[in-house]
Amino acid sequence: MTPPPGYVTKGENKVSKLLKSLYGLKQASRQWFSKFSNTLLANGFHQSKADYSLFTKVIGSSFIAPLVYVADIILAKIGCSSKGISVCQRKYALEILKDCGLLGAKPAKFPMEPNLKLSRDIGVLIEDPYVYRRLNGRLIYLTITCLDLACSIKLLSQYMDKPRQPHLDAAYHVLRYLKATSSQGILFPSSSDLQPKALCNSDWARCPNSRRSVTGFCVFLGDSLISWKSKKYQIVSRSSAKVECRAMASTSCELTWITTLLNDFKVPHPPSFSPLL
């Protein structure tokens, strides 16, 4: 913080005492969340031990569960029917296509070429990297309901520092696939059981630049998909067996965390489960 002109006299050393957190300071987000959480706790909410940004409260037959990330609160519209609950981001997907001028583009049948190998050194650098970074950031938000985009967006996110033309072309291919699948989302069946289960897999030495492996998992609550992830490891594995073990370890940690969340949501579930490879 810089004192206003004329406030500091030459030869004096003065400091400013912060009486109220200001937007833009490092402490602002922490102070805001502290006040927000204290207000919820004072009104009878319980803070989750698995996710400190999750608060729950039971009022008779009603159950309230606000989930807040710093200063962002998302209000989502969810469709309900006798078959279950449907979550979709069609409006947001069409807005991305419209902004990129691809509403009239030819749809693609898959998000990315199966044998596509992107590199940091192949291709011409993009004149305006902001275009690629903004597009990739908007696509990341779509992975909330679009599991089929997780692996492709994870790969495109690795070239945010110096994007090249092949990276932008691959991102546009994802948009063409999005045009054909913009109405697709996640369905949580009403007749599903509450048995947690998971599927995990890995691709040994998948990255052509660093030779790091890629792993992914899907977690189901009965027939409902509730969590998924695709990530590149930070270290190089010497064998495929080590990669598979790490994938199962990550999946087991996710299952343990989800079990704690289910307890916070007051959802009864079987006490034992095992990941499926």
Side-chain angles (χ1 to χ4, degrees):
M1 177 178 177
T2 304
Y7 180 77
V8 179
T9 306
K10 188 175 182 180
E12 293 183 351
N13 294 323
K14 295 184 177 181
V15 296
S16 300
K17 182 179 180 181
L18 184 64
L19 300 178
K20 186 177 181 181
S21 57
L22 302 176
Y23 184 82
L25 298 181
K26 294 181 179 179
Q27 302 90 346
S29 58
R30 181 178 181 181
Q31 293 297 326
W32 186 93
F33 184 77
S34 177
K35 184 176 182 179
F36 179 82
S37 58
N38 291 333
T39 303
L40 289 181
L41 294 176
N43 284 273
F45 283 84
H46 298 278
Q47 191 171 19
S48 172
K49 299 298 182 182
D51 189 342
Y52 286 164
S53 59
L54 174 64
F55 300 84
T56 59
K57 183 179 181 179
V58 179
I59 305 177
S61 59
S62 301
F63 180 78
I64 306 174
L67 181 62
V68 182
Y69 180 74
V70 188
D72 296 329
I73 304 177
I74 299 176
L75 300 178
K77 188 175 181 180
I78 301 176
C80 302
S81 66
S82 58
K83 295 182 179 180
I85 299 175
S86 177
V87 182
C88 180
Q89 292 178 283
R90 181 177 183 273
K91 181 177 182 296
Y92 179 71
L94 294 178
E95 288 178 356
I96 299 178
L97 293 173
K98 181 179 179 181
D99 293 344
C100 296
L102 295 178
L103 280 176
K106 182 179 179 181
K109 297 182 178 180
F110 38 82
M112 187 170 287
E113 295 287 345
N115 298 321
L116 180 63
K117 299 290 185 180
L118 297 177
S119 176
R120 293 184 176 273
D121 305 321
I122 300 178
V124 181
L125 289 172
I126 301 176
E127 295 182 0
D128 187 6
Y130 174 77
V131 176
Y132 179 83
R133 294 166 185 166
R134 182 174 183 270
L135 174 58
N136 195 74
R138 301 181 72 179
L139 290 175
I140 290 177
Y141 189 73
L142 272 177
T143 58
I144 297 176
T145 59
C146 300
L147 169 65
D148 46 353
L149 297 180
C151 185
S152 301
I153 304 306
K154 180 269 309 176
L155 181 60
L156 295 176
S157 300
Q158 301 176 19
Y159 308 101
M160 300 280 278
D161 54 341
K162 293 182 180 180
R164 298 179 179 271
Q165 190 61 42
H167 309 149
L168 184 60
D169 295 338
Y172 285 152
H173 190 279
V174 173
L175 293 180
R176 291 172 50 206
Y177 170 78
L178 186 61
K179 181 185 177 182
T181 59
S182 59
S183 299
Q184 295 183 5
I186 301 178
L187 175 65
F188 302 98
S190 58
S191 59
S192 176
D193 56 30
L194 299 178
Q195 172 67 49
K197 56 185 178 181
L199 302 172
C200 63
N201 203 349
S202 60
D203 194 350
W204 183 42
R206 176 66 174 82
C207 181
N209 299 307
S210 62
R211 308 311 300 174
R212 297 178 186 176
S213 305
V214 176
T215 184
F217 62 78
C218 300
V219 180
F220 294 83
L221 187 61
D223 297 329
S224 302
L225 178 64
I226 59 175
S227 178
W228 57 89
K229 190 175 185 179
S230 178
K231 182 180 179 181
K232 183 173 67 172
Y233 281 115
Q234 298 180 353
I235 60 177
V236 178
S237 300
R238 297 184 178 181
S239 66
S240 58
K242 292 182 178 180
V243 177
E244 299 292 348
C245 291
R246 289 194 178 99
M248 293 190 65
S250 300
T251 309
S252 299
C253 292
E254 184 74 7
L255 281 169
T256 303
W257 176 70
I258 288 178
T259 303
T260 307
L261 280 179
L262 292 176
N263 295 330
D264 293 331
F265 283 121
K266 312 300 181 184
V267 176
H269 55 85
S272 60
F273 52 80
S274 59
L276 304 176
L277 183 62

